[in-house]
Amino acid sequence: MPSILIKTADELARQRHAGELLASVFAMLDEFIQPGVTTMEINDRAEAFIVNELHSRPASKGQYDYPYVLNTSVNEVVCHGIPKVSEHLKSGAIVNVDITLEKDGMIADSSKMYLIGDVSPLARRLVKATYEGMWKGIKAVKPGATLGDIGHAIQSYVESHGYSVVREYCGHGIGKEMHEEPQVLHYGKPGEGPVLQEGMVFTIEPMINQGDSRTKTKKDGWTVVTRDKKLSAQWEHTVAVTADGFEVLTLRGEESVPA
């Protein structure tokens, strides 16, 4: 298995800056994403802001021949939803917007759930539990912990709320490349897997389903949906292992680390 890269202080500083810039993209989109907007309009607005205002590179564009700068995963779409000119966000929908940004050679990756208009209590509950589950995983990060500790923290929390963890997709190391070692599973057993060390950087991005955990990929080769057509939610942050815990490199202005 390829080794897990340890970031230097300079690399970490540049990656932290990329994360701060990425957080500002979401702050801009917060005002823009509302009922009636198309998912392609979200893509185009984000691309213009990243390139023209932040003088950065949307790292997803061109990765694996993907032509857009972000993913928009609506309702039962688990991940990798493709922006579309014809897809207007309707009141009651939930949508995950997943964006990557590269600045000065280092990449940050984050996603956020948006609640569109009048969203049902059941959908809100799923989104909230997914967010809290992500933080359970993040708070397990420290030197000497294992990747299994992270997965177990997420899995045990969301399953206690009646939800299921998608198993086919996971978090990943990130730095000069969008996808590096290790793979960060969102389920697992305490004490299993690679041991965390200061300087590791990876994403934690649980995909949590309202119903069954199974998924399928649509004919476009990208869009992943729940098999039972029930809702799915996802949140994502880029996280660094520090000397005594963790640092969330993509923390947004409205967020704080839960107690």
CSV table of all heavy atoms in Angstrom, one decimal, residues 168-210:
chain,number,residue,atom,x,y,z
A,168,GLU,N,-19.5,2.4,-0.4
A,168,GLU,CA,-18.7,2.3,-1.6
A,168,GLU,C,-17.9,3.5,-1.8
A,168,GLU,O,-16.9,3.5,-2.7
A,168,GLU,CB,-19.7,2.2,-2.9
A,168,GLU,CG,-20.5,0.9,-2.9
A,168,GLU,CD,-21.9,1.1,-2.3
A,168,GLU,OE1,-22.0,1.9,-1.4
A,168,GLU,OE2,-22.8,0.4,-2.8
A,169,TYR,N,-18.1,4.6,-1.1
A,169,TYR,CA,-17.4,5.8,-1.3
A,169,TYR,C,-16.8,6.3,0.0
A,169,TYR,O,-17.4,6.1,1.1
A,169,TYR,CB,-18.3,6.9,-2.0
A,169,TYR,CG,-18.9,6.4,-3.3
A,169,TYR,CD1,-20.1,5.8,-3.3
A,169,TYR,CD2,-18.1,6.5,-4.4
A,169,TYR,CE1,-20.6,5.3,-4.5
A,169,TYR,CE2,-18.6,6.0,-5.6
A,169,TYR,CZ,-19.9,5.4,-5.6
A,169,TYR,OH,-20.4,4.8,-6.8
A,170,CYS,N,-15.7,7.0,0.0
A,170,CYS,CA,-15.0,7.3,1.3
A,170,CYS,C,-14.3,8.6,1.1
A,170,CYS,O,-14.1,9.2,0.1
A,170,CYS,CB,-14.1,6.2,1.6
A,170,CYS,SG,-12.8,5.9,0.4
A,171,GLY,N,-13.7,9.1,2.3
A,171,GLY,CA,-12.8,10.2,2.3
A,171,GLY,C,-11.5,9.8,1.8
A,171,GLY,O,-11.2,8.6,1.5
A,172,HIS,N,-10.5,10.7,1.7
A,172,HIS,CA,-9.2,10.4,1.1
A,172,HIS,C,-8.2,11.4,1.5
A,172,HIS,O,-8.5,12.6,1.9
A,172,HIS,CB,-9.4,10.5,-0.4
A,172,HIS,CG,-10.1,11.7,-0.9
A,172,HIS,ND1,-9.4,12.9,-1.2
A,172,HIS,CD2,-11.4,12.0,-1.1
A,172,HIS,CE1,-10.2,13.8,-1.6
A,172,HIS,NE2,-11.5,13.3,-1.5
A,173,GLY,N,-6.9,11.0,1.5
A,173,GLY,CA,-5.9,11.9,1.6
A,173,GLY,C,-5.9,13.0,0.5
A,173,GLY,O,-6.4,12.7,-0.5
A,174,ILE,N,-5.4,14.2,0.8
A,174,ILE,CA,-5.4,15.3,-0.1
A,174,ILE,C,-4.2,16.2,0.1
A,174,ILE,O,-3.8,16.4,1.3
A,174,ILE,CB,-6.8,16.0,0.0
A,174,ILE,CG1,-6.9,17.1,-1.1
A,174,ILE,CG2,-7.0,16.6,1.4
A,174,ILE,CD1,-8.3,17.6,-1.2
A,175,GLY,N,-3.7,16.8,-0.9
A,175,GLY,CA,-2.6,17.7,-0.8
A,175,GLY,C,-2.3,18.2,-2.2
A,175,GLY,O,-3.0,19.0,-2.8
A,176,LYS,N,-1.1,17.8,-2.8
A,176,LYS,CA,-0.8,18.3,-4.1
A,176,LYS,C,-1.7,17.6,-5.1
A,176,LYS,O,-2.0,18.1,-6.2
A,176,LYS,CB,0.7,17.9,-4.4
A,176,LYS,CG,1.7,18.7,-3.6
A,176,LYS,CD,3.1,18.3,-3.9
A,176,LYS,CE,4.1,19.1,-3.0
A,176,LYS,NZ,5.5,18.7,-3.3
A,177,GLU,N,-2.2,16.4,-4.8
A,177,GLU,CA,-3.2,15.7,-5.6
A,177,GLU,C,-4.5,15.7,-4.8
A,177,GLU,O,-4.5,15.7,-3.6
A,177,GLU,CB,-2.7,14.2,-5.8
A,177,GLU,CG,-1.4,14.1,-6.5
A,177,GLU,CD,-1.4,14.6,-8.0
A,177,GLU,OE1,-2.5,14.6,-8.6
A,177,GLU,OE2,-0.3,15.1,-8.4
A,178,MET,N,-5.6,15.6,-5.6
A,178,MET,CA,-6.9,15.6,-5.0
A,178,MET,C,-7.1,14.3,-4.2
A,178,MET,O,-7.8,14.3,-3.2
A,178,MET,CB,-8.0,15.7,-6.1
A,178,MET,CG,-9.4,16.0,-5.4
A,178,MET,SD,-10.7,15.8,-6.6
A,178,MET,CE,-10.2,17.0,-7.9
A,179,HIS,N,-6.7,13.2,-4.8
A,179,HIS,CA,-6.9,11.9,-4.1
A,179,HIS,C,-5.5,11.3,-3.8
A,179,HIS,O,-4.8,10.9,-4.7
A,179,HIS,CB,-7.7,10.9,-5.0
A,179,HIS,CG,-9.1,11.4,-5.2
A,179,HIS,ND1,-9.6,11.8,-6.4
A,179,HIS,CD2,-10.1,11.5,-4.3
A,179,HIS,CE1,-10.9,12.2,-6.2
A,179,HIS,NE2,-11.2,12.0,-5.0
A,180,GLU,N,-5.2,11.2,-2.5
A,180,GLU,CA,-4.0,10.6,-2.1
A,180,GLU,C,-4.3,9.5,-1.0
A,180,GLU,O,-5.5,9.4,-0.7
A,180,GLU,CB,-3.0,11.6,-1.4
A,180,GLU,CG,-2.6,12.8,-2.3
A,180,GLU,CD,-1.8,13.8,-1.6
A,180,GLU,OE1,-1.6,13.8,-0.4
A,180,GLU,OE2,-1.2,14.7,-2.3
A,181,GLU,N,-3.4,8.8,-0.6
A,181,GLU,CA,-3.6,7.9,0.6
A,181,GLU,C,-3.8,8.7,1.8
A,181,GLU,O,-3.2,9.8,2.0
A,181,GLU,CB,-2.4,6.9,0.7
A,181,GLU,CG,-2.3,5.9,-0.4
A,181,GLU,CD,-3.5,4.9,-0.5
A,181,GLU,OE1,-4.1,4.6,0.5
A,181,GLU,OE2,-3.9,4.5,-1.6
A,182,PRO,N,-4.6,8.2,2.8
A,182,PRO,CA,-5.3,6.9,2.8
A,182,PRO,C,-6.7,7.1,2.4
A,182,PRO,O,-7.2,8.2,2.2
A,182,PRO,CB,-5.2,6.6,4.3
A,182,PRO,CG,-5.4,8.0,5.0
A,182,PRO,CD,-4.7,9.0,4.1
A,183,GLN,N,-7.4,6.0,2.2
A,183,GLN,CA,-8.8,6.0,2.1
A,183,GLN,C,-9.4,6.1,3.5
A,183,GLN,O,-9.0,5.3,4.4
A,183,GLN,CB,-9.3,4.7,1.4
A,183,GLN,CG,-8.9,4.6,-0.1
A,183,GLN,CD,-9.6,3.5,-0.8
A,183,GLN,OE1,-10.1,2.5,-0.2
A,183,GLN,NE2,-9.7,3.6,-2.1
A,184,VAL,N,-10.4,6.9,3.7
A,184,VAL,CA,-11.0,7.2,5.0
A,184,VAL,C,-12.4,6.7,5.0
A,184,VAL,O,-13.3,7.3,4.5
A,184,VAL,CB,-10.9,8.7,5.3
A,184,VAL,CG1,-11.5,8.9,6.7
A,184,VAL,CG2,-9.5,9.2,5.3
A,185,LEU,N,-12.6,5.5,5.5
A,185,LEU,CA,-13.9,4.9,5.5
A,185,LEU,C,-14.8,5.5,6.6
A,185,LEU,O,-14.2,6.0,7.7
A,185,LEU,CB,-13.8,3.4,5.8
A,185,LEU,CG,-13.0,2.6,4.8
A,185,LEU,CD1,-13.0,1.1,5.2
A,185,LEU,CD2,-13.4,2.8,3.4
A,186,HIS,N,-16.1,5.6,6.4
A,186,HIS,CA,-17.0,6.2,7.3
A,186,HIS,C,-17.7,5.2,8.2
A,186,HIS,O,-18.7,5.5,8.8
A,186,HIS,CB,-18.0,7.1,6.6
A,186,HIS,CG,-17.3,8.2,5.8
A,186,HIS,ND1,-17.3,8.2,4.4
A,186,HIS,CD2,-16.4,9.2,6.1
A,186,HIS,CE1,-16.6,9.2,4.0
A,186,HIS,NE2,-16.0,9.8,5.0
A,187,TYR,N,-17.1,4.0,8.3
A,187,TYR,CA,-17.6,3.0,9.2
A,187,TYR,C,-16.3,2.2,9.6
A,187,TYR,O,-15.2,2.3,8.9
A,187,TYR,CB,-18.5,2.0,8.5
A,187,TYR,CG,-17.9,1.3,7.2
A,187,TYR,CD1,-17.3,0.1,7.3
A,187,TYR,CD2,-17.9,2.0,6.0
A,187,TYR,CE1,-16.8,-0.5,6.2
A,187,TYR,CE2,-17.4,1.4,4.9
A,187,TYR,CZ,-16.8,0.1,5.0
A,187,TYR,OH,-16.2,-0.5,3.9
A,188,GLY,N,-16.4,1.4,10.6
A,188,GLY,CA,-15.2,0.7,11.0
A,188,GLY,C,-15.2,0.3,12.5
A,188,GLY,O,-16.2,0.5,13.2
A,189,LYS,N,-14.1,-0.2,12.9
A,189,LYS,CA,-13.9,-0.7,14.3
A,189,LYS,C,-12.8,0.1,15.0
A,189,LYS,O,-11.8,0.4,14.4
A,189,LYS,CB,-13.6,-2.2,14.3
A,189,LYS,CG,-14.7,-3.1,13.8
A,189,LYS,CD,-14.4,-4.5,13.8
A,189,LYS,CE,-15.5,-5.4,13.3
A,189,LYS,NZ,-15.2,-6.8,13.3
A,190,PRO,N,-13.0,0.4,16.3
A,190,PRO,CA,-11.9,1.2,17.0
A,190,PRO,C,-10.6,0.4,16.9
A,190,PRO,O,-10.6,-0.8,17.1
A,190,PRO,CB,-12.5,1.3,18.4
A,190,PRO,CG,-13.9,1.1,18.3
A,190,PRO,CD,-14.1,0.2,17.1
A,191,GLY,N,-9.5,1.1,16.8
A,191,GLY,CA,-8.2,0.5,16.8
A,191,GLY,C,-7.7,-0.1,15.5
A,191,GLY,O,-6.6,-0.5,15.4
A,192,GLU,N,-8.6,-0.2,14.5
A,192,GLU,CA,-8.2,-0.8,13.2
A,192,GLU,C,-7.7,0.3,12.2
A,192,GLU,O,-8.1,1.4,12.3
A,192,GLU,CB,-9.4,-1.6,12.6
A,192,GLU,CG,-9.7,-2.8,13.4
A,192,GLU,CD,-10.6,-3.8,12.7
A,192,GLU,OE1,-11.2,-3.3,11.7
A,192,GLU,OE2,-10.8,-4.9,13.1
A,193,GLY,N,-6.9,-0.2,11.3
A,193,GLY,CA,-6.4,0.7,10.2
A,193,GLY,C,-5.2,1.5,10.6
A,193,GLY,O,-4.6,1.4,11.7
A,194,PRO,N,-4.7,2.3,9.6
A,194,PRO,CA,-3.5,3.1,9.9
A,194,PRO,C,-3.6,4.0,11.1
A,194,PRO,O,-4.7,4.5,11.4
A,194,PRO,CB,-3.3,3.9,8.6
A,194,PRO,CG,-4.0,3.0,7.5
A,194,PRO,CD,-5.2,2.4,8.3
A,195,VAL,N,-2.4,4.2,11.7
A,195,VAL,CA,-2.4,5.1,12.9
A,195,VAL,C,-2.1,6.5,12.4
A,195,VAL,O,-1.3,6.8,11.5
A,195,VAL,CB,-1.3,4.7,13.8
A,195,VAL,CG1,-1.1,5.6,15.0
A,195,VAL,CG2,-1.6,3.3,14.4
A,196,LEU,N,-2.8,7.5,12.9
A,196,LEU,CA,-2.7,8.9,12.5
A,196,LEU,C,-1.4,9.5,13.1
A,196,LEU,O,-1.0,9.3,14.2
A,196,LEU,CB,-3.9,9.7,13.0
A,196,LEU,CG,-5.3,9.1,12.6
A,196,LEU,CD1,-6.4,10.1,13.0
A,196,LEU,CD2,-5.4,8.9,11.1
A,197,GLN,N,-0.8,10.4,12.3
A,197,GLN,CA,0.4,11.1,12.6
A,197,GLN,C,0.2,12.6,12.3
A,197,GLN,O,-0.5,12.9,11.4
A,197,GLN,CB,1.6,10.6,11.9
A,197,GLN,CG,2.0,9.1,12.1
A,197,GLN,CD,3.1,8.7,11.2
A,197,GLN,OE1,4.1,9.4,11.1
A,197,GLN,NE2,3.0,7.6,10.5
A,198,GLU,N,0.9,13.4,13.1
A,198,GLU,CA,0.9,14.8,12.8
A,198,GLU,C,1.4,15.1,11.4
A,198,GLU,O,2.3,14.5,10.9
A,198,GLU,CB,1.8,15.6,13.8
A,198,GLU,CG,1.8,17.1,13.6
A,198,GLU,CD,2.7,17.8,14.6
A,198,GLU,OE1,3.4,17.1,15.4
A,198,GLU,OE2,2.8,19.0,14.5
A,199,GLY,N,0.6,16.0,10.7
A,199,GLY,CA,1.0,16.3,9.3
A,199,GLY,C,0.2,15.6,8.3
A,199,GLY,O,0.3,15.9,7.1
A,200,MET,N,-0.6,14.5,8.7
A,200,MET,CA,-1.5,13.9,7.7
A,200,MET,C,-2.6,14.8,7.4
A,200,MET,O,-3.1,15.5,8.3
A,200,MET,CB,-2.0,12.6,8.2
A,200,MET,CG,-1.0,11.5,8.3
A,200,MET,SD,-1.8,10.0,9.0
A,200,MET,CE,-0.4,8.8,8.9
A,201,VAL,N,-3.1,14.9,6.2
A,201,VAL,CA,-4.3,15.7,5.8
A,201,VAL,C,-5.2,14.8,5.0
A,201,VAL,O,-4.8,14.2,4.0
A,201,VAL,CB,-3.9,16.9,5.0
A,201,VAL,CG1,-5.1,17.7,4.7
A,201,VAL,CG2,-2.9,17.8,5.9
A,202,PHE,N,-6.5,14.8,5.3
A,202,PHE,CA,-7.4,14.0,4.6
A,202,PHE,C,-8.8,14.6,4.7
A,202,PHE,O,-9.1,15.4,5.6
A,202,PHE,CB,-7.4,12.5,5.1
A,202,PHE,CG,-7.4,12.3,6.5
A,202,PHE,CD1,-8.6,12.5,7.3
A,202,PHE,CD2,-6.2,12.0,7.2
A,202,PHE,CE1,-8.6,12.4,8.7
A,202,PHE,CE2,-6.2,11.9,8.6
A,202,PHE,CZ,-7.4,12.0,9.3
A,203,THR,N,-9.7,14.1,3.9
A,203,THR,CA,-11.1,14.5,4.0
A,203,THR,C,-11.9,13.5,4.8
A,203,THR,O,-11.6,12.3,4.8
A,203,THR,CB,-11.8,14.6,2.6
A,203,THR,OG1,-12.0,13.3,2.0
A,203,THR,CG2,-11.0,15.5,1.6
A,204,ILE,N,-12.9,14.1,5.5
A,204,ILE,CA,-13.9,13.3,6.2
A,204,ILE,C,-15.3,13.7,5.6
A,204,ILE,O,-15.6,14.9,5.6
A,204,ILE,CB,-13.9,13.5,7.7
A,204,ILE,CG1,-12.6,12.9,8.2
A,204,ILE,CG2,-15.1,12.8,8.4
A,204,ILE,CD1,-12.4,13.1,9.7
A,205,GLU,N,-16.0,12.8,4.9
A,205,GLU,CA,-17.1,13.2,4.1
A,205,GLU,C,-18.2,12.1,4.0
A,205,GLU,O,-18.6,11.6,3.0
A,205,GLU,CB,-16.6,13.5,2.6
A,205,GLU,CG,-15.8,12.4,2.0
A,205,GLU,CD,-15.3,12.8,0.6
A,205,GLU,OE1,-16.2,13.0,-0.3
A,205,GLU,OE2,-14.1,12.9,0.4
A,206,PRO,N,-18.8,11.8,5.2
A,206,PRO,CA,-19.8,10.8,5.2
A,206,PRO,C,-21.0,11.0,4.3
A,206,PRO,O,-21.6,12.1,4.3
A,206,PRO,CB,-20.2,10.7,6.7
A,206,PRO,CG,-19.9,12.1,7.2
A,206,PRO,CD,-18.7,12.5,6.5
A,207,MET,N,-21.4,10.0,3.6
A,207,MET,CA,-22.6,9.9,2.9
A,207,MET,C,-23.6,9.0,3.6
A,207,MET,O,-23.3,7.9,3.8
A,207,MET,CB,-22.4,9.4,1.5
A,207,MET,CG,-21.7,10.3,0.5
A,207,MET,SD,-20.5,9.5,-0.6
A,207,MET,CE,-19.0,9.5,0.4
A,208,ILE,N,-24.7,9.6,4.1
A,208,ILE,CA,-25.6,9.0,5.0
A,208,ILE,C,-27.0,8.9,4.3
A,208,ILE,O,-27.5,9.9,3.9
A,208,ILE,CB,-25.7,9.7,6.3
A,208,ILE,CG1,-24.3,9.9,6.9
A,208,ILE,CG2,-26.6,9.0,7.3
A,208,ILE,CD1,-23.5,8.6,7.2
A,209,ASN,N,-27.6,7.7,4.3
A,209,ASN,CA,-28.8,7.4,3.7
A,209,ASN,C,-30.0,7.3,4.7
A,209,ASN,O,-29.8,6.8,5.7
A,209,ASN,CB,-28.8,6.1,2.8
A,209,ASN,CG,-27.9,6.3,1.6
A,209,ASN,OD1,-27.4,7.4,1.3
A,209,ASN,ND2,-27.7,5.2,0.9
A,210,GLN,N,-31.1,7.8,4.2
A,210,GLN,CA,-32.4,7.7,5.0
A,210,GLN,C,-32.8,6.3,5.2
A,210,GLN,O,-33.4,5.9,6.2
A,210,GLN,CB,-33.4,8.6,4.3
A,210,GLN,CG,-34.6,9.0,5.2
A,210,GLN,CD,-35.5,10.0,4.4
A,210,GLN,OE1,-35.7,9.8,3.2
A,210,GLN,NE2,-35.9,11.0,5.0
